[in-house]
Amino acid sequence: MPAEPSVLILNGPNLNMLGVREPDVYGSETLADIEAACLERASDLGLTVEFKQSNLEGELVTWIQAARVEHDGIIINPAAYTHTSVALLDALVLTQLPVIEVHLSNVHRREAFRHHSYVSQAAKGVICGLGSHGYLLALDAMARIIEDDV
Ligand code: DQA
């Protein structure tokens, strides 16, 4: 039997503080809660998921590079690096994998510096403003993208 498709879910800086970090903006769930929900949804979809978080840009770049041969798609909440990181954009592009960008908050309703995303240039789609549900919607979309090879 062929192995299940594998999706890397990456989380950028300060997302390890979810639950205590500005709950009015980011909700009261912890990152561990979101990981548990993602694992459950992935299992329903027949996907394997690896869920990771780092506060370090270079570490995220290294994980993205490795994903090129280890995973079939990447879901990423780059957090603040969304708005600053050409390095993350370049790494995502080189993988040639389908990428979905997720944000808990609606970045377009917030400060102007959050309106631009370097990462979006590598993303097939972007989901923002729907809280942790956005991660589950991204998994649904990724399952289709991988299955249909679109
Ligand atoms: C975020 C939005 C970013 O602007 C911010 O820097 C974050 C979280 C979100 O999920 O809403 O850290 O990516």
Side-chain angles (χ1 to χ4, degrees):
M1 215 169 73
E4 284 184 341
S6 173
V7 177
L8 177 63
I9 304 183
L10 279 185
N11 296 277
N14 300 307
L15 292 173
N16 56 315
M17 298 303 289
L18 287 179
V20 293
R21 179 191 180 200
E22 299 177 82
D24 47 320
V25 178
Y26 297 116
S28 55
E29 282 172 285
T30 65
L31 196 61
D33 295 333
I34 296 175
E35 177 175 8
C38 285
L39 292 178
E40 199 180 317
R41 178 65 65 103
S43 138
D44 292 345
L45 291 166
L47 297 173
T48 297
V49 154
E50 192 176 358
F51 192 98
K52 294 167 95 116
Q53 187 274 335
S54 178
N55 292 322
L56 305 178
E57 185 176 19
E59 189 163 45
L60 292 163
V61 167
T62 299
W63 290 344
I64 292 167
Q65 290 177 1
R68 189 177 67 84
V69 291
E70 291 172 0
H71 297 284
D72 300 293
I74 299 174
I75 294 170
I76 183 165
N77 182 347
Y81 291 140
T82 308
H83 319 297
T84 63
S85 182
V86 177
L88 284 188
L89 167 61
D90 286 349
L92 289 165
V93 168
L94 77 81
T95 66
Q96 297 187 294
L97 293 173
V99 173
I100 300 178
E101 178 183 343
V102 173
H103 300 283
L104 295 158
S105 64
N106 181 352
V107 287
H108 299 290
R109 283 182 76 164
R110 302 182 62 195
E111 304 95 320
F113 68 84
R114 295 186 204 274
H115 297 175
H116 177 259
S117 165
Y118 284 98
V119 167
S120 291
Q121 202 151 337
K124 205 163 171 61
V126 181
I127 298 169
C128 77
L130 301 178
S132 63
H133 188 52
Y135 284 73
L136 305 183
L137 295 173
L139 274 169
D140 292 347
M142 188 60 84
R144 266 179 93 133
I145 290 166
I146 291 171
E147 167 125 1
D148 298 346
D149 204 14
V150 288

